[in-house]
Amino acid sequence: SRPQAQRFAGSPIFSKDVGEILAAMPQRFGGSPFDHISHNHDILQKQQDVVEIDLQPTDEAVMWAELFKEKERHFFRKHLESELLCFSAFGQSYQIDARMMWTSDMRDPMSRQRQTGRTVICLHDLGGRLTDIWAWAKLAMTIYKSGASVVWIAWPGFGASKASGKGDCKPESWMNLDYQIMTAIYTKLRIKMASFVACGRGCRTVMRLIQRTGSLVRPEVFMYNPALSADEILDMQHVHPGSGQAGFEKAMADQHWRIGQAMLRGQHRVWVTHTPGCRIPGFEVLQQEGLDCLRRLTDGQGVSISITEASSNHICVAQVGVRVPVLLGDAKFGRCIRLF
């Protein structure tokens, strides 16, 4: 699901006709010219004689996948909007690929600024299979029918999103700024508060937002297989190394209390669903650590966090025809989402 950069050696892009490049793509990448109509081609000159081409499936190609019913395709054609959110922050420029499905009371940007409706932002994972902007596509219509607008975003390095013009940037280059990037996205979309649906490493951003800018997060939060680090969530990087084990544990307890109080002030209610045995490659330790951290937040503070197990019979990952993985859930899982 992560875009695979293909390099094209030859003349500079300004001296080679784009049509000639695309015509040569079947020989370079395989298949016939018609196979590439279902993809967007992002052509970027990396050096004088090197051109990078990213292939991304078009929205139309994803919608025609066998997993979507005709009423879902009709819903997407009617409501789905696409926008590339461009902004500069923290010494870098960002281009964030976004999909929006606004309810009638949120279509006007000024209405969004006045908070006349509800918005749910869906975040994909940074590893494993659910790393595409369409990861939550099967649940979009359910959320929309509950009266909430739906926003999907692709993190830098995924889909058409870039950081400093680089579509192949690593998450480590921007992860420490994730909640600040999200704040900038709020500004670009002119929304002041939003609920969240997140999975895997995307859950990290939600918890950091709650701790640092809790007023931006509405009370309803849903997480699937969260992969969190207590150090990241609790901002333990600034603990002085000379404080020793006792000092570290005291600082961790203090940070747990702070984030718990922030969640109580915002009346946040978090529903967590995890599938035992479902491991995100490279993040197995963070998955267990995330559950332990969330459980500890409920101890003695009255924070509302519900953690449930769901087997693969209730929720699983499927792949649509253009190799885009999406999350599938049964009616029981759908009822959790309708809480929004």
Side-chain angles (χ1 to χ4, degrees):
S1 56
R2 178 186 287 267
Q4 298 181 355
Q6 305 283 2
R7 295 201 166 188
F8 216 105
S11 302
I13 184 69
F14 52 79
S15 64
K16 180 180 279 290
D17 183 75
V18 173
E20 183 181 344
I21 293 177
L22 295 180
M25 286 177 61
Q27 289 73 38
R28 179 69 174 173
F29 306 140
S32 69
F34 299 102
D35 293 335
H36 301 281
I37 296 176
S38 62
H39 289 76
N40 292 318
H41 304 89
D42 185 10
I43 304 175
L44 179 67
Q45 183 178 2
K46 301 289 288 185
Q47 300 174 17
Q48 185 177 7
D49 58 347
V50 177
V51 175
E52 180 182 276
I53 302 178
D54 289 344
L55 302 181
Q56 297 294 328
T58 62
D59 290 347
E60 291 77 10
V62 177
M63 279 188 264
W64 276 107
E66 64 282 359
L67 287 180
F68 295 113
K69 299 178 181 178
E70 186 56 38
K71 63 178 181 180
E72 291 174 304
R73 297 190 187 105
H74 176 75
F75 166 77
F76 287 132
R77 293 191 193 104
K78 182 177 180 181
H79 299 289
L80 187 65
E81 300 177 17
S82 176
E83 185 175 351
L84 192 65
L85 309 177
C86 302
F87 54 89
S88 297
F90 326 112
Q92 293 193 81
S93 62
Y94 293 92
Q95 299 84 41
I96 302 297
D97 192 20
R99 302 290 186 277
M100 297 79 63
M101 288 145 276
W102 301 115
T103 55
S104 57
D105 57 347
M106 293 282 283
R107 293 188 190 281
D108 179 18
M110 295 306 297
S111 296
R112 297 202 292 274
Q113 206 163 16
R114 291 196 296 265
Q115 286 184 266
T116 58
R118 295 184 295 120
T119 303
V120 177
I121 298 178
C122 301
L123 303 179
H124 63 75
D125 202 349
L126 303 182
R129 299 181 64 188
L130 293 172
T131 55
D132 194 87
I133 194 172
W134 283 80
W136 294 99
K138 289 294 288 185
L139 300 173
M141 192 163 67
T142 300
I143 297 174
Y144 187 89
K145 286 184 176 180
S146 72
S149 298
V150 184
V151 175
W152 306 333
I153 68 162
W155 288 114
F158 298 86
S161 296
K162 300 180 177 67
S164 298
K166 297 179 180 178
D168 57 350
C169 60
K170 301 297 183 183
E172 292 77 13
S173 65
W174 53 263
M175 279 182 64
N176 287 336
L177 302 173
D178 57 353
Y179 71 97
Q180 294 164 308
I181 294 173
M182 185 59 64
T183 302
I185 292 173
Y186 272 66
T187 302
K188 293 295 291 186
L189 294 177
R190 296 188 179 182
I191 56 178
K192 290 189 175 181
M193 293 185 73
S195 301
F196 279 88
V197 174
C199 60
R201 291 291 275 162
C203 303
R204 169 188 189 269
T205 303
V206 183
M207 296 304 296
R208 284 161 61 87
L209 269 176
I210 291 174
Q211 184 187 32
R212 292 161 174 79
T213 55
S215 60
L216 296 178
V217 183
R218 291 181 64 92
E220 306 85 6
V221 175
F222 179 85
M223 299 181 181
Y224 172 66
N225 279 348
L228 311 169
S229 165
D231 290 351
E232 296 169 338
I233 301 170
L234 304 176
D235 199 17
M236 301 298 293
Q237 296 93 331
H238 304 297
V239 177
H240 194 278
S243 58
Q245 183 64 27
F248 183 83
E249 291 179 357
K250 181 179 182 302
M252 178 172 284
D254 180 63
Q255 290 291 341
H256 267 105
W257 182 84
R258 289 178 182 274
I259 191 172
Q261 291 301 303
M263 295 179 71
L264 287 174
R265 285 194 300 271
Q267 299 180 341
H268 292 104
R269 303 185 302 276
V270 181
W271 291 271
V272 179
T273 296
H274 70 102
T275 305
C278 179
R279 299 302 180 198
I280 305 172
F283 298 135
E284 294 89 350
V285 175
L286 293 179
Q287 285 183 273
Q288 185 57 50
E289 187 175 345
L291 290 175
D292 294 341
C293 184
L294 291 170
R295 288 190 181 102
R296 184 171 178 179
L297 286 174
T298 63
D299 296 341
Q301 294 197 62
V303 177
S304 177
I305 299 180
S306 174
I307 302 177
T308 59
E309 292 185 2
S311 70
S312 57
N313 294 326
H314 297 292
I315 184 171
C316 65
V317 180
Q319 185 170 280
V320 301
V322 287
R323 298 191 295 277
V324 173
V326 299
L327 198 65
L328 295 179
D330 63 2
K332 179 181 178 181
F333 180 66
R335 285 195 294 273
C336 294
I337 297 298
R338 276 193 288 272
L339 292 170
F340 292 102

